Amino acid sequence: MAWPFWRRMTMYLPVPPQPDCATAWREALRTVIDQGMEAHNVILDVADPTAGATLADPVVLRVDEFLRSKDVKPVETVANTLFPTALSRRYRGPDLYDAFMTKVLPAAGKSGRWSGYYFERMINLRGPDGKVVNQIADIIDRIADPKVVARNKFEIQTFDPTRDVTRSPYGGQCLSHGSFKLRKAGGVETLDLTVLYRNHFYVEKLLGNLIGLGRLMAFVADQSGVAAGSLTVVSTHACADQPKDAQNRQTSLAEIKALLAACDALVAD
């Protein structure tokens, strides 16, 4: 496929805006495959990241089944690293943070450097002075406060230079930063989110990431008294990864294309 001149000459790769998570995953993965299995500065936008965001969606279910067949983390497990949906049904508001830190992390075998949960970094980030900062609670508090006039200063840091700078090329956090922004949409104050990934596996992780980020947005918006808006993802390095199964067999490109074709057929039906 010959890309238009403007795509070949730029240092970013835009994916056409999509209405929901499942559709955004399909088109983003297809775009990266067409680039030769990897690309830099891929930008995708999801109009409603809470739509097409459960296993009730046939595409999400098909991807989940594929990932399970490869013995890698299924969609919901990946999504839960960004927002603990099941826990949020049992614990409301501020109680969620304490329940996550006291119930989820110990059960998951939290390590000192990286627990695998981005939500932990969002609610339990240690500053240079050793003070713990709950970034999510602080953002919700400021958005809900009518006295706060700065409506574009709601940042989330998930990269931690004290824990994440190593010489190993493997593991560690891939999501580096998030930026919430408020805008008026039809007279309604609406919360958007833009996130930056340093590295992004589009087969194993992208769909679960989109779903988890959408759930995080919905939580912050609900707790702040505003509407949830759109999600923008910038993958500074994206790849159509080929995960290995329990028998160390690598997923083939033909299998990935067959998965996409099956998902396309589900939508067509």
Side-chain angles (χ1 to χ4, degrees), residues 57-198:
D57 183 284
V59 172
V60 177
L61 179 60
R62 182 66 187 87
V63 175
D64 187 77
E65 292 170 344
F66 180 84
L67 295 176
R68 289 178 184 276
S69 75
K70 297 299 177 181
D71 200 37
V72 296
K73 292 178 180 178
V75 171
E76 284 290 344
T77 299
V78 174
N80 281 335
T81 65
L82 290 149
F83 186 75
T85 301
L87 197 70
S88 70
R89 298 190 187 107
R90 296 173 56 196
Y91 299 93
R92 305 297 296 173
D95 291 340
L96 174 64
Y97 311 129
D98 181 65
F100 181 84
M101 295 301 298
T102 60
K103 298 179 184 296
V104 173
L105 287 189
K110 178 185 179 298
S111 70
R113 190 177 70 85
W114 172 230
S115 69
Y117 284 94
Y118 293 103
F119 193 67
E120 179 210 350
R121 295 282 178 95
M122 296 175 190
I123 67 172
N124 191 54
L125 186 69
R126 291 191 178 276
D129 57 359
K131 181 181 178 181
V132 174
V133 179
N134 186 330
Q135 301 176 89
I136 295 295
D138 177 68
I139 287 172
I140 290 170
D141 180 66
R142 285 186 288 125
I143 291 176
D145 187 351
K147 297 178 182 178
V148 175
V149 295
R151 310 303 274 168
N152 61 358
K153 293 175 64 178
F154 309 112
E155 309 297 288
I156 291 179
Q157 189 68 24
T158 51
F159 169 75
D160 183 350
T162 65
R163 291 188 281 179
D164 297 329
V165 177
T166 71
R167 295 183 181 273
S168 171
Y170 306 109
Q173 53 66 238
C174 290
L175 173 63
S176 292
H177 187 77
S179 181
F180 284 104
K181 293 291 185 291
L182 283 166
R183 63 180 169 87
K184 289 287 187 180
V188 177
E189 199 159 35
T190 303
L191 187 69
D192 297 331
L193 175 62
T194 300
V195 298
L196 181 75
Y197 278 83
R198 66 165 182 86

Side-chain angles (χ1 to χ4, degrees), residues 172-248:
Q173 53 66 238
C174 290
L175 173 63
S176 292
H177 187 77
S179 181
F180 284 104
K181 293 291 185 291
L182 283 166
R183 63 180 169 87
K184 289 287 187 180
V188 177
E189 199 159 35
T190 303
L191 187 69
D192 297 331
L193 175 62
T194 300
V195 298
L196 181 75
Y197 278 83
R198 66 165 182 86
N199 190 52
H200 219 166
F201 286 171
Y202 274 25
V203 173
E204 286 190 58
K205 299 293 180 66
L206 177 60
L207 182 54
N209 290 156
L210 296 177
I211 290 172
L213 289 166
R215 292 171 180 174
L216 174 69
M217 289 177 64
F219 173 77
V220 174
D222 176 70
Q223 295 291 304
S224 306
V226 299
S230 65
L231 169 66
T232 301
V233 176
V234 181
S235 305
T236 59
H237 176 255
C239 64
D241 51 302
Q242 298 171 265
K244 293 182 179 180
D245 64 16
Q247 285 72 47
N248 204 37

